[in-house]
Amino acid sequence: MNKAVVSTQSTGELRVGDSVALQTSDLDKKPFVGKIIAMWQENLGEMMVTLCWFYRPSDLENIKTPYGSHELYLSKHTDDNSVATIQNKVYVLSFPEYCRFYAHRAQTERNVRQCLVVPNVSKWRDQVIPSAAAQCESIYFCRGVYDFRLKRTLKQQLYYTKYL
């Protein structure tokens, strides 16, 4: 049975299209990050999700110097996981959205009037942009695609933002 929304105590409401962090067996490692592309309930009643994985530059071979510790690469690698393994909801933005988010956050913290040089994010991305109160650890950016079969990054313009 397919589900559109799942509510859990640790993460709140999750929907198809949300990005999430998953527990790792090694507590010293950073959590895995994936995007929910499907939800369903197994015959035994356990809620499951299909995730499209993001890779960190440190997990990739032949990668150029990353822009930051919150950089991710989108992949077509999918996997099924229990909802119980989800730690929390995270936000994966395009690089321009990430920069815009932190610029707006800095303006708000410093009580500076918002600069209108950069236009606001389009309406179809409004639900994905975190609120100013979101914690920095849960905000990532993606500026490329990683082909896990070919083990290389692909040149990608901003076309992928609708898939983030």
Side-chain angles (χ1 to χ4, degrees):
M1 171 170 70
N2 284 337
K3 295 269 187 178
V5 178
V6 171
S7 188
T8 67
Q9 287 181 346
S10 62
T11 60
E13 212 172 72
L14 294 173
R15 301 175 184 277
V16 171
D18 285 348
S19 297
V20 293
L22 274 76
Q23 299 171 0
T24 61
S25 55
D26 184 359
L27 297 177
D28 293 335
K29 282 186 83 174
K30 293 180 180 180
F32 297 118
V33 178
K35 181 179 185 67
I36 300 172
I37 57 175
M39 295 181 173
W40 75 96
Q41 190 168 9
E42 281 193 329
N43 294 339
L44 300 174
E46 185 176 14
M47 287 302 302
M48 300 292 289
V49 292
T50 299
L51 297 169
C52 183
W53 293 109
F54 289 96
Y55 286 93
R56 296 178 193 280
S58 59
D59 298 330
L60 307 178
E61 300 171 15
N62 303 324
I63 189 72
K64 293 179 182 175
T65 306
Y67 274 91
S69 62
H70 285 247
E71 181 177 12
L72 300 172
Y73 284 85
L74 180 63
S75 76
K76 293 182 181 179
H77 180 198
T78 61
D79 226 346
D80 297 337
N81 291 276
S82 170
V83 169
T85 62
I86 296 174
Q87 279 183 328
N88 60 339
K89 184 175 176 178
V90 298
Y91 301 92
V92 181
L93 309 175
S94 68
F95 189 61
E97 289 169 338
Y98 183 82
C99 294
R100 185 179 295 122
F101 171 78
Y102 277 101
H104 285 277
R105 186 178 207 164
Q107 287 174 343
T108 304
E109 289 172 357
R110 296 179 186 141
N111 289 328
V112 176
R113 200 177 103 236
Q114 185 173 345
C115 176
L116 298 177
V117 174
V118 179
N120 286 331
V121 178
S122 61
K123 295 293 182 206
W124 63 273
R125 292 291 286 165
D126 281 349
Q127 72 260 9
V128 198
I129 303 297
S131 70
Q135 295 191 354
C136 294
E137 305 87 49
S138 66
I139 302 170
Y140 298 89
F141 68 91
C142 178
R143 60 183 183 98
V145 176
Y146 177 70
D147 188 325
F148 70 99
R149 290 188 181 112
L150 297 176
K151 297 197 182 305
R152 66 183 180 109
T153 57
L154 305 174
K155 281 197 172 185
Q156 192 74 20
Q157 298 298 322
L158 292 178
Y159 307 121
Y160 65 84
T161 56
K162 65 181 174 183
Y163 303 111
L164 293 180

